[in-house]
Amino acid sequence: MDSTAKKRWVSLYVENDVGVLAKISGLFSGKSYNLCSLTVGETEDPTVSRMTISLYGDDKTFEQIIKQLNRSVEVIKVLDFTDLPIHKKEILYIKLHSLRRDEMEDVFRSASVFGVTVTDYERGSLILECVRTEAENDEVLRYYKKHFLSRMEAVRGGSVAIESVSRSDR
């Protein structure tokens, strides 16, 4: 990674239409950018979707991508969240299996400490749900990997973000 590269956050309002995701992601791959996270969902208007994209990039190339996005017919609005106060969260699911009773008790206790929800459980297995920042989810994942790596499965969704209504960074 380039030494001038930094973490970027972009939010796009786009037409909710077939092929738009492929076209937008192709724009980034054409500039040899590897996206860290990309989420897409319908907005309050079913004809419009909102994409939240995170990536690492240098100023010059990132500026070119923003210009290209703004010229794209399918893109309604581009918001560069990189230096703005935003609220962002990511979802993480962790499935643990083949746990002894004492390990199950430990997981319930640790989940409580982390503020993580146990969404499903059965004898010796459970699923944890974490809706937190990317960094907080990294910490949760590190903890469970350390103790249960061979008996776990993890699934992460991309972050979603929205600009703060107050000027303080969340």
Side-chain angles (χ1 to χ4, degrees):
M1 183 178 357
D2 187 333
S3 64
T4 61
K6 71 177 188 176
K7 185 83 174 234
R8 313 284 181 156
W9 290 93
V10 181
S11 184
L12 308 175
Y13 287 93
V14 298
E15 293 175 4
N16 187 3
D17 205 1
V18 175
V20 173
L21 173 60
K23 186 172 182 181
I24 299 301
S25 61
L27 232 165
F28 286 92
S29 66
K31 293 287 184 187
S32 297
Y33 268 129
N34 185 26
L35 302 180
C36 300
S37 169
L38 182 140
T39 58
V40 184
E42 203 174 84
T43 66
E44 65 282 356
D45 177 349
T47 66
V48 177
S49 291
R50 186 157 175 175
M51 294 183 173
T52 304
I53 302 169
S54 72
L55 62 135
Y56 283 95
D58 64 79
D59 290 340
K60 184 178 179 186
T61 309
F62 185 69
E63 193 176 305
Q64 290 172 348
I65 284 179
I66 296 296
K67 285 179 183 174
Q68 281 184 282
L69 287 169
N70 277 313
R71 284 193 300 263
S72 178
V73 174
E74 298 84 2
V75 175
I76 299 162
K77 187 175 184 180
V78 178
L79 301 168
D80 179 0
F81 280 170
T82 303
D83 296 317
L84 296 178
I86 58 175
H87 295 267
K88 64 180 178 279
K89 297 286 185 209
E90 169 192 76
I91 191 160
L92 164 67
Y93 284 105
I94 299 172
K95 183 190 292 184
L96 301 172
H97 58 87
S98 305
L99 302 176
R100 298 183 314 266
R101 186 166 191 234
D102 63 314
E103 291 175 320
M104 287 285 280
E105 291 170 4
D106 286 344
V107 171
F108 273 91
R109 271 194 296 278
S110 62
S112 177
V113 169
F114 279 118
V116 168
T117 305
V118 176
T119 59
D120 189 17
Y121 68 95
E122 190 175 86
R123 175 181 224 149
S125 299
L126 53 74
I127 296 175
L128 303 171
E129 180 182 84
C130 317
V131 180
R132 305 165 59 107
T133 67
E134 194 177 324
E136 290 168 333
N137 279 347
D138 286 344
E139 185 181 324
V140 169
L141 202 49
R142 249 188 318 276
Y143 175 82
Y144 289 107
K145 276 183 178 179
K146 180 179 176 185
H147 295 76
F148 304 104
L149 182 60
S150 66
R151 296 176 286 157
M152 75 176 276
E153 178 182 344
V155 179
R156 291 180 99 149
S159 293
V160 293
I162 193 165
E163 191 173 0
S164 295
V165 292
S166 66
R167 297 314 308 161
S168 63
D169 195 4
R170 306 272 183 218

